[in-house]
Amino acid sequence: MKKLINDPRAVVDESVEGFGLAHADLVRVHSDPLFVSRAGGAVPGKVGLVSGGGSGHEPLHSGYVGRGMLDAAVPGAVFTSPTPDAIIPATQAADGGAGVVLVVKNYTGDVLNFETAAEMCQAEGLDVRTVLVDDDVAVEDSLYTAGRRGVAGTVLVEKIAGAAAERGDRLDEVEAIGRKVVANVRSMGLALTPCTVPHAGKTSFDLGEDEIEIGIGIHGEPGRRRVGLEPADALTEHLLTPVMEDLGLAEGERVLLFVNGMGGTPLSELYIVYRVAARILADRGALVERSLVGNYTTSLEMQGCSVTVLRLDDELTALWDAPVHTPALRWGA
């Protein structure tokens, strides 16, 4: 195992400490328990937005703390849900007096721990709502979840719900916007190589030199099937076809196309995937009005990508375009 680390047990603490130092103008890092909040604290009268999950998916979630997105994020150990004792103070730190929305990826540990934290915050009088993200069309159940997994579509939920909160929407409205995005976003990914969890010291799964896992999860969970080496165009079609079918995409619909890297794939290759994905959508009669390409929901150093499609309307487009200023996503601010 070759990694730029010191003690495998200290990877998350040291990484988050460095993240806080690098972006001290935007975030504050809190330790014991560990969470990240927006610099300057909660915005009075604004609905708070909080997310979190296992580390190893950077910049998700801490990289999206800032104006127009999250008010706090809770990083757990690598590929491990954070516990309620960290989620509770993060939720409290995000509360500006208008309630808090938790954006939770659909993994069993995340769901249980965020639900527990929400119940405990509610018992103290804080109005907390939960938006569950389950955009992965690859499987209905996996090793980590009952039902579909939450993957790269989480970034779009956080951006759009965050913009709604930033413009002053009420708690019910921010929750509804988050659920609207979830209902209209679908994703599917593939892996060219496995990744290595630092404290494990070995790859998370075995994949032959001539094998590609189609439908992989962001923790290395098995996908739909393994295939031999194929050109990028064919592999992209394997991902995008079930996404379009599950979304029920019709001719003339407007979409956002998001090609996400898993951490180890060059940007040049992601643009090759975007090129064919845009062409496939155009052939179907869909109108690609917005796009995002890059490493936004990763799996450590895994080589691979995912393709996400979000059905757009005027409201979602305006919220996507709204100013955002975070360490990992920034425009219009």
Side-chain angles (χ1 to χ4, degrees):
M1 180 178 71
K2 293 182 180 180
K3 289 184 178 290
L4 290 172
I5 63 174
N6 297 304
D7 182 347
R9 296 166 296 183
V11 166
V12 173
D13 287 341
E14 292 181 356
S15 176
V16 176
E17 181 183 357
F19 170 78
L21 291 171
H23 303 289
D25 58 325
L26 297 175
V27 303
R28 295 288 180 270
V29 172
H30 309 262
S31 58
D32 195 27
L34 183 66
F35 69 94
V36 178
S37 66
R38 187 166 165 167
V43 178
K46 187 186 85 68
V47 171
L49 196 69
V50 178
S51 192
S55 296
H57 307 303
E58 291 77 14
L60 197 77
H61 297 272
S62 297
Y64 303 124
V65 173
R67 178 186 170 192
M69 285 191 78
L70 299 177
D71 294 280
V74 195
V78 175
F79 292 179
T80 304
S81 171
T83 53
D85 70 303
I87 300 168
I88 291 167
T91 304
Q92 294 167 337
D95 178 30
V100 177
V101 173
L102 305 179
V103 178
V104 182
K105 301 188 303 300
N106 188 33
Y107 294 94
T108 301
D110 287 359
V111 171
L112 291 175
N113 288 336
F114 274 89
E115 281 183 352
T116 299
E119 290 170 1
M120 296 181 73
C121 287
Q122 288 163 347
E124 296 296 323
L126 176 55
D127 197 350
V128 180
R129 311 291 175 83
T130 299
V131 173
L132 190 66
V133 186
D134 57 353
D135 55 310
D136 190 356
V137 304
V139 295
E140 286 297 336
D141 295 283
S142 76
L143 300 175
Y144 289 76
T145 182
R148 293 185 171 185
R149 306 174 291 215
V151 288
T154 309
V155 178
L156 311 188
V157 177
E158 293 176 356
K159 168 62 183 80
I160 291 172
E166 200 72 44
R167 73 180 179 185
D169 286 15
R170 298 187 303 273
L171 184 61
D172 288 345
E173 295 167 332
V174 175
E175 178 188 13
I177 285 290
R179 293 183 185 278
K180 180 178 178 178
V181 178
V182 172
N184 287 282
V185 67
R186 302 289 189 275
S187 303
M188 190 165 171
L190 63 79
L192 307 177
T193 66
C195 60
T196 301
V197 176
H199 62 263
K202 61 181 181 179
T203 56
S204 54
F205 60 98
D206 295 321
L207 194 61
E209 285 293 321
D210 60 347
E211 290 183 316
I212 295 171
E213 184 83 29
I214 302 293
I216 195 75
I218 59 174
H219 305 96
E221 309 98 314
R224 288 189 172 187
R225 65 187 186 280
R226 290 191 177 185
V227 300
L229 294 177
E230 295 185 43
D233 286 8
L235 293 172
T236 304
E237 190 164 0
H238 289 324
L239 300 183
L240 189 54
T241 297
V243 165
M244 294 187 300
E245 290 175 350
D246 199 276
L247 197 54
L249 202 61
E251 184 175 355
E253 289 199 281
R254 305 151 58 191
V255 300
L256 183 156
L257 173 58
F258 174 21
V259 174
N260 172 67
M262 293 294 189
T265 300
L267 192 58
S268 58
E269 295 178 22
L270 298 181
Y271 280 117
I272 290 173
V273 172
Y274 182 90
R275 165 186 167 272
V276 66
R279 188 188 71 208
I280 292 170
L281 286 165
D283 289 345
R284 195 180 181 100
L287 307 174
V288 179
E289 293 192 347
R290 297 293 185 272
S291 60
L292 187 65
V293 181
N295 290 287
Y296 293 99
T297 302
T298 63
S299 299
L300 296 170
E301 81 281 18
M302 182 187 291
Q303 292 181 22
C305 72
S306 61
V307 175
T308 299
V309 176
L310 169 65
R311 177 185 285 111
L312 291 173
D313 59 16
D314 288 345
E315 179 181 42
L316 296 185
T317 302
L319 290 169
W320 177 257
D321 290 343
V324 60
H325 191 179
T326 72
L329 209 62
R330 183 179 307 186
W331 60 71

